[in-house]
Amino acid sequence: MCGIVGYIGNKKATPVLIDGLLCLEYRGYDSAGIATIEKDSIKVMKDKGRVNNLYNLDGINDLQGTVGIAHTRWATHGKPSKENSHPHMDNSKNFAVVHNGIIENYSDLRDFLSKSGYTFYSETDTEVIPNLIHYYYTNGPVSVLEDKRERFLGAVKSAVFDLKGSYAIEAISPLCPDEIIVVRKDSPLVIGKGNGENFIASDIPAILSHTKDFYLLDDNEFAVVTKDDVRFYDNGLVEHNKSIKNIEWDANAAGKDGYEDYMLKEIYEQPTAIRETIGSRFKLGEKCSFDDIEITKEYLSTVNKIYFVACGTAWHAGLVGKALMEKLCKIPTEVDIASEFRYRNPLIDEHTLCIYISQSGETADTIAALKLAKSHGAKTLAISNVIGSSITREADYSIYTHAGPEIAVASTKAYTSQVALIAILAMYFAETLETTSEAEIEALKSDLIDLPSKIDQILANTDEIKDFAKKVYTEKDMFFLGRGTDYNVALEGSLKLKEISYIHSEAYAAGELKHGPIALVENGVTVIGIITNPHLVEKTISNIQEVITRGAKTLVITNQILPNGHFDYIINIPETNPLISPILSVIPMQLISYYISKFKGLDVDKPRNLAKSVTVE
Ligand code: F6R
């Protein structure tokens, strides 16, 4: 949550900073601000509201500074307001800081600084940081250093040592006007290498139009960024070298490419995302392989339990993963919500394989749940969309979806790519363990290869979906029903609807409805059923019949031939193996939510109260 950008070079910093912030707005969008070094002082401009508001601030175009830091906020401590917006300065106005994360001990630090004569002007946890930097710059061993640069870095280090919590921090000072100091712990930060200029950002897409060469900062690592150079230090301030990673993402992939919204673009990118995720990991007639990992038969034979651990949409991908692992590999599999897993003392040991799914690779709860499993001796495998993200740096093994940058807050192509990748992983395990017949795996491979063209088929004609959305967009409640993987995907359909259309909705296992929730079904309420498993058709139809009898309007998304005249609307999708059918059945649900949101005139890409990357607990 919160987005950070930094620039140092020969150009005016402001346009680069604001452009970067606009790309990062999915990380938070309740206030924004920038600070640049103007001659011998820092100029801060900030306000509540979206990044675009910065253009309306008086004097923003007069800023000439070529060194600057910027921030778009997702409020944690203190309401969205100008005072609480970043950057924050110390009392002497010599240090400006932007921060992503949470300082858990800020109240103690604030007390300490207040007693030392400092005044606070915001309700944020962040404001302690510039004041601590000032405190150490002017007190104690660092304050006697003659070299101002060493003194500034030493003061930042001492300040950071006092912080408990998570942070990605950029600090600037007119006392050292040619550098930006950055440091991170449990919050992402990357440095983009340019020619005579360097860039800093929370996420790669924000600066992808400037460079493809990135340094990925590690936890507790400091960097001093100048226009020609980046120097790295460990937490004892011992300098070390760091290698550059070339990121192949195309800058256009991070833009809207003619689509009205990122979400729509990302829905339409799903065939490519699946194709890229399959890549060279398997071909018909050949065994699955992963360049990135090798998991031996000896090790896999010792695994007696698999956990999928994730949050939100990624958790829904894990639910489908359970069906795949249990069916193909015959290994008992559990699926946990990361924020629950980390506090419930799960039964894990060296015979447990814990698989963590995270599009961003930065979700705080998922990372903490991974660290927990490692400390119990379990092996950990990360599935992420972001190369070098925190989760992949912690895990024993990492594999990547190749969905390209996902910018819309509501996840679409990441979900379908995650399910595809888990299917490949399950086949790889099953081939290694020889737990499923070759013929069955070959059939599944063929179904996976066919998915992109089947998604294209769904996307080629969306009129029915749009019509349905138009009929129901004013409703207050909806229900989603399914059995097996159809239930798993019903949960995802329901989450999409809540997030971007603000319609209350619930998803239930179709057979569970009569155990309570059916009491909510009344005349005219809309129920969406998903039916893709030939073995469960009749059972699910009976459950949908139960709501029809109570006056519900029904839409059924199916790849089966259903009896005529039962349902108000039917959306047909192509047939595939039920283990991977969520990749197809989710598409109409993504589009229904998308169009409802558009009919309601909402901001599809930036739904209220949400942020793309949830780096706080
Ligand atoms: C919903 C959505 C969220 C994320 C969740 C986990 O559309 O995007 O539910 O799936 O916050 O995020 P990652 O996958 O980045 O760990």
Side-chain angles (χ1 to χ4, degrees), residues 531-542 560-563:
I531 308 180
T532 69
N533 186 333
H535 303 297
L536 298 172
V537 175
E538 281 163 20
K539 299 277 173 217
T540 315
I541 289 185
S542 303
Q560 302 294 306
I561 297 168
L562 302 183

Side-chain angles (χ1 to χ4, degrees), residues 311-314 357-361 363 366 409-411 418 495-496 499 612 614:
C311 304
T313 289
I357 314 167
S358 176
Q359 187 284 127
S360 62
T363 302
T366 312
V409 165
S411 184
Q418 284 159 354
L495 177 63
K496 285 289 92 84
E499 304 184 85
K612 184 73 184 158
V614 186

Side-chain angles (χ1 to χ4, degrees), residues 478-495:
M478 279 196 208
F479 294 88
F480 291 76
L481 300 181
R483 285 171 177 259
T485 54
D486 290 337
Y487 166 50
N488 303 153
V489 78
L491 287 161
E492 175 57 11
S494 171
L495 177 63

